[in-house]
Amino acid sequence: GEKIAVFGFRDGEIITATVQELSGAQAVYAFLAWKGGHFTFVPGDPGEGAPLGQSVEHLLLEGCRLLDESRAETEETAAAG
């Protein structure tokens, strides 16, 4: 089925993030694993809340680290056969 991610930004920071049943930083990390998608920008106030994580850069770096680890584990499992 179709996967949907919704992110709310304020002043360049992610305030809200949901991907299916996930929310917050975990939703950002799950989204980074997607290989493609279609994106729509809808201007507006994301609502109340503090930014997720320390910064967008921190979330992206941590998400990429987790993705790299996951891919390395998958490759090791496949090689072990």
Side-chain angles (χ1 to χ4, degrees):
E2 184 176 300
K3 295 188 272 185
I4 297 175
V6 178
F7 294 88
F9 289 88
R10 182 185 307 116
D11 297 326
E13 297 294 332
I14 300 173
I15 305 300
T16 62
T18 58
V19 174
Q20 280 133 306
E21 72 283 351
L22 300 173
S23 63
Q26 295 303 317
V28 175
Y29 304 151
F31 174 76
L32 290 174
W34 292 9
K35 294 183 182 204
H38 299 276
F39 305 93
T40 303
F41 175 74
V42 180
D45 185 352
E48 296 295 316
L52 304 178
Q54 296 173 347
S55 66
V56 171
E57 293 83 4
H58 174 80
L59 287 168
L60 293 175
L61 287 171
E62 179 65 8
C64 289
R65 183 189 67 79
L66 293 169
L67 188 57
D68 285 346
E69 287 179 1
S70 174
R71 288 180 177 163
E73 289 173 7
T74 301
E75 289 173 5
E76 288 174 10
T77 302

